[in-house]
Amino acid sequence: MQLHDVWFVLIAVLWTGYFFLEGFDFGVGVLTKLLARDRTERRVLINTIGPVWDGNEVWLLTAGGATFAAFPEWYATLFSGFYLPLLLILICLIIRGVAFEYRHKRDEEKWQTNWEHAIFWTSLIPAFLWGVAFANIVRGVKIDAHMEYVGSLLDLLNVYSLLGGLVTLTLFTFHGTVFTSLKTVGDIRERSRALATRLGVLTAVLALVFLIWTQVSRGDGKSMIAMAVAVVALVGALAFNLAGREGWSFALSGVTIAAAVAMLFLTLFPNVMPSSLNDAWNLTVTNASSSPYTLKIMTWCAGVATPLVLLYQGWTYWVFRKRIGTQHIADAH
């Protein structure tokens, strides 16, 4: 295996980590409207992710930076062709971070309500758009012989990609619902488990259609195995949720996300961004990669930095591992 193949796998791992962690993060943001009945319960939900949401976004920065350094042609084509949706995601992430930090700065009801609306929409929109973006990457977009995207924004809004967006939105929300039931106590925990069951069924239907469509159009034996793992894990997550085993349910919903991402990257390889105009114009791990020397330096840096990142992020989750409920929320002034 050459270094450009290794970095393709590493980028897939980074996106898997991002969708696993930021997935429940987005899901909890959506639940501030779907599950919470009042301001106190919204504070409970926000507090479950308060210590970790910014650390989760590090995985996105690392995935983007790794793509820029390891596959500059892929990065250039992706960010120019998908400029508007990626810009919208970036704006949402900025507003979302500000909303978490500014919501409690003032006690006025209107002030806090506006920031709560911002948290909901800036969680829902990226959760949907990431699915649209990755579905288009797998499906193939209009790339010419000069490795440039020549399509329009409307070309990205096709049935397959919109279905992909619905899958990520429902899957992340299900993941967040299971996380909420794992991190809370009392009535909100029970209602979260009930909602997870309903969301899980909807997610399973949408995901099954999307994964089968992907497998039939671009899959092989390896992607079939990944698809099977994703389906079995999702069914297992639903079963453990019904049994009240939130830890196992959350772990298996994470396996579902990891297996689904693995399937998408397996259907891509050795391409990184297929061209729908001509297979000869596909961006591949070979023609889109940096020089071997650059990849070698990156590999050494990643080998040193990655364990440190995993250690401090794991420590953060360990420190804030306890459940919370409405009784732990102090009365507002």
Side-chain angles (χ1 to χ4, degrees):
M1 180 179 287
Q2 300 186 47
L3 281 179
H4 51 65
D5 299 327
V6 171
W7 273 98
F8 179 84
V9 174
L10 290 177
I11 288 171
V13 171
L14 290 171
W15 280 110
T16 301
Y18 174 66
F19 287 142
F20 176 86
L21 296 172
E22 192 82 327
F24 73 74
D25 197 315
F26 286 144
V28 172
V30 174
L31 292 179
T32 58
K33 296 295 183 184
L34 293 185
L35 181 66
R37 290 176 174 172
D38 53 36
R39 176 150 295 123
T40 301
E41 290 192 350
R42 281 192 288 275
R43 290 172 66 189
V44 170
L45 292 174
I46 292 171
N47 285 355
T48 62
I49 58 174
V52 298
W53 68 266
D54 48 355
N56 295 344
E57 291 186 356
V58 171
W59 289 79
L60 173 61
L61 299 175
T62 309
T67 304
F68 170 77
F71 300 100
E73 295 291 350
W74 182 14
Y75 182 92
T77 304
L78 175 64
F79 278 77
S80 60
F82 292 30
Y83 181 81
L84 288 178
L86 292 178
L87 177 62
L88 182 56
I89 290 174
L90 176 60
I91 292 172
C92 284
L93 294 180
I94 293 172
I95 295 174
R96 189 168 182 266
V98 173
F100 283 130
E101 298 297 335
Y102 275 62
R103 175 190 168 277
H104 64 281
K105 296 297 185 182
R106 290 167 59 179
D107 296 328
E108 290 87 345
E109 181 176 352
K110 184 177 181 180
W111 171 272
Q112 295 192 1
T113 299
N114 288 338
W115 287 121
E116 288 165 1
H117 288 320
I119 291 172
F120 171 76
W121 287 108
T122 56
S123 298
L124 184 149
I125 293 172
F128 176 76
L129 289 181
W130 280 127
V132 173
F134 271 83
N136 273 297
I137 293 173
V138 172
R139 176 178 177 266
V141 293
K142 294 180 179 179
I143 301 174
D144 65 11
H146 303 291
M147 299 184 179
E148 295 181 359
Y149 178 74
V150 293
S152 66
L153 178 62
L154 292 179
D155 291 324
L156 303 179
L157 303 178
N158 51 78
V159 176
Y160 177 76
S161 66
L162 293 176
L163 176 60
L166 290 176
V167 170
T168 52
L169 175 58
T170 55
L171 180 56
F172 291 168
T173 306
F174 170 73
H175 194 42
T177 309
V178 175
F179 177 79
T180 299
S181 63
L182 176 65
K183 289 288 293 180
T184 57
V185 294
D187 180 60
I188 193 170
R189 174 189 178 190
E190 298 303 320
R191 287 189 285 112
S192 182
R193 283 178 51 201
L195 180 60
T197 300
R198 298 193 297 272
L199 277 174
V201 173
L202 175 61
T203 302
V205 172
L206 293 174
L208 190 60
V209 174
F210 178 76
L211 294 178
I212 290 175
W213 190 343
T214 304
Q215 177 64 29
V216 170
S217 59
R218 289 193 172 272
D220 56 15
K222 294 178 181 178
S223 61
M224 174 68 82
I225 294 174
M227 183 184 78
V229 171
V231 172
V232 172
L234 183 55
V235 172
L238 276 167
F240 277 110
N241 177 70
L242 286 171
R245 303 292 297 275
E246 292 100 340
W248 281 103
S249 182
F250 179 70
L252 287 174
S253 67
V255 171
T256 303
I257 292 173
V261 174
M263 179 187 178
L264 296 182
F265 275 88
L266 285 169
T267 59
L268 274 177
F269 189 81
N271 299 317
V272 294
M273 204 165 177
S275 171
S276 60
L277 301 177
N278 190 327
D279 287 342
W281 299 341
N282 290 349
L283 298 185
T284 68
V285 293
T286 304
N287 65 19
S289 70
S290 295
S291 67
Y293 181 74
T294 299
L295 297 177
K296 184 177 180 180
I297 296 298
M298 289 176 61
T299 303
W300 280 104
C301 293
V304 174
T306 303
L308 297 177
V309 173
L310 293 176
L311 281 173
Y312 82 68
Q313 192 161 24
W315 175 251
T316 301
Y317 277 91
W318 174 255
V319 170
F320 295 100
R321 67 190 181 277
K322 293 184 178 179
R323 296 176 182 265
I324 63 173
T326 54
Q327 66 271 29
H328 299 117
I329 302 298
D331 291 335
H333 296 295

